[in-house]
Amino acid sequence: DEARLTMLQALTDLSIDSPIYRCIGDTTNEGSMASLQIRMSTETKHSGDRFQKNVIDYAAEWESVVNTQIDAGLVEVKKLRETLNHYESKVEGLRKKTNSLESKGKTTPDRKMERLNRNEAKLEEAAKAYEDKALKQCALMEEATAQGWRDLHPLIQRLVKWETERCDRESGVLLGGKPYLEFLDETVSASSDSTPKATEENADTVDQKSPANSETSETDK
């Protein structure tokens, strides 16, 4: 945009007071280069706004949803793993105490056996919860990577639609300058047609005023 404006300003300066100025820098003519540039700048801004809304924002929301789901699942899996580790360590300690008593020929008190059984049940629950969640999380991550193109599909549709509409709108703006292209051709043609005439008339005038013609006139007298 900046380069175009610089070029347009230079062309405008060069064309001032010429027949083609109305096609270049005259903003009162809708099809002049200056008017087209103003409209193109406005259209470029609107296209940028539409791209932000229909493509960038959509992609950002898609990324946020996927990342949120995956991140939340990973956090939960981590917590379940920590719970599982806790009960594995606890049950291992209780079993060692029980085995130690039995190796010495002693009977494990009922209270300690109940505690061991209770924690073994919790260990089993923790292991199942962790395994179920970990499998679901793996499936989710696999779907996000292997089947991610299904979510990409509507994004591509939006991008192609935006690009097509942008081209149509910009073409519509540029077509507004077509009549002035014809005017430029006519102006140049008219100027070319008139130049030889002017040259001929000037030549005749010069010939009439030349010293040779003056001498001839005097001799004739």
Side-chain angles (χ1 to χ4, degrees), residues 153-169:
H153 178 260
L155 178 63
I156 298 301
Q157 283 184 314
R158 286 167 173 261
L159 180 59
V160 172
K161 182 180 179 183
W162 172 84
E163 189 67 57
T164 303
E165 291 177 350
R166 181 190 66 81
C167 290
D168 287 344
R169 283 189 292 267

Side-chain angles (χ1 to χ4, degrees), residues 46-57 159 162:
H46 290 164
S47 290
D49 293 341
R50 284 187 284 266
F51 185 79
Q52 179 68 43
K53 178 181 178 182
N54 296 325
V55 180
I56 299 297
D57 291 349
L159 180 59
W162 172 84

Side-chain angles (χ1 to χ4, degrees), residues 8 13 75 91 104 112 117 138 207:
L8 177 60
D13 293 342
V75 169
V91 167
K104 295 176 182 179
K112 288 187 177 182
N117 292 336
C138 287
D207 285 342

Side-chain angles (χ1 to χ4, degrees), residues 15-214:
S15 66
I16 288 176
D17 297 329
S18 73
I20 61 173
Y21 171 75
R22 64 190 299 256
C23 299
I24 299 174
D26 188 356
T27 54
T28 61
N29 288 319
E30 291 187 358
S32 69
M33 291 179 67
S35 296
L36 291 177
Q37 180 58 39
I38 291 171
R39 291 170 62 190
M40 281 294 289
S41 296
T42 302
E43 182 54 45
T44 298
K45 182 182 182 307
H46 290 164
S47 290
D49 293 341
R50 284 187 284 266
F51 185 79
Q52 179 68 43
K53 178 181 178 182
N54 296 325
V55 180
I56 299 297
D57 291 349
Y58 178 86
E61 182 181 359
W62 170 40
E63 181 183 25
S64 176
V65 169
V66 172
N67 286 345
T68 298
Q69 289 179 343
I70 291 177
D71 290 348
L74 289 173
V75 169
E76 187 175 353
V77 168
K78 183 180 178 181
K79 288 181 178 179
L80 290 172
R81 179 70 250 190
E82 289 173 352
T83 300
L84 177 58
N85 291 341
H86 168 74
Y87 283 111
E88 284 178 339
S89 177
K90 195 171 184 180
V91 167
E92 184 180 0
L94 292 173
R95 283 175 178 168
K96 281 182 179 181
K97 290 180 181 179
T98 301
N99 292 337
S100 177
L101 289 173
E102 290 178 352
S103 66
K104 295 176 182 179
K106 297 180 180 180
T107 303
T108 303
D110 292 342
R111 182 174 58 83
K112 288 187 177 182
M113 284 301 299
E114 288 175 3
R115 186 183 179 191
L116 174 60
N117 292 336
R118 185 170 64 251
N119 281 279
E120 283 180 335
K122 289 182 178 180
L123 173 60
E124 187 177 346
E125 291 175 4
K128 186 177 185 310
Y130 170 74
E131 184 178 354
D132 290 347
K133 183 60 185 177
L135 286 173
K136 288 180 181 178
Q137 184 65 21
C138 287
L140 176 63
M141 294 174 68
E142 182 179 352
E143 182 179 0
T145 52
Q147 301 297 323
W149 65 269
R150 296 183 184 277
D151 293 323
L152 182 63
H153 178 260
L155 178 63
I156 298 301
Q157 283 184 314
R158 286 167 173 261
L159 180 59
V160 172
K161 182 180 179 183
W162 172 84
E163 189 67 57
T164 303
E165 291 177 350
R166 181 190 66 81
C167 290
D168 287 344
R169 283 189 292 267
E170 290 186 0
S171 295
V173 171
L174 294 174
L175 284 173
K178 191 174 181 180
Y180 288 90
L181 287 175
E182 297 171 358
F183 173 80
L184 283 171
D185 290 339
E186 292 170 1
T187 303
V188 172
S189 297
S191 177
S192 299
D193 292 341
S194 63
T195 300
K197 284 187 176 181
T199 305
E200 255 176 55
E201 291 171 1
N202 290 339
D204 291 343
T205 304
V206 170
D207 285 342
Q208 289 172 6
K209 293 181 179 180
S210 66
N213 283 338
S214 297

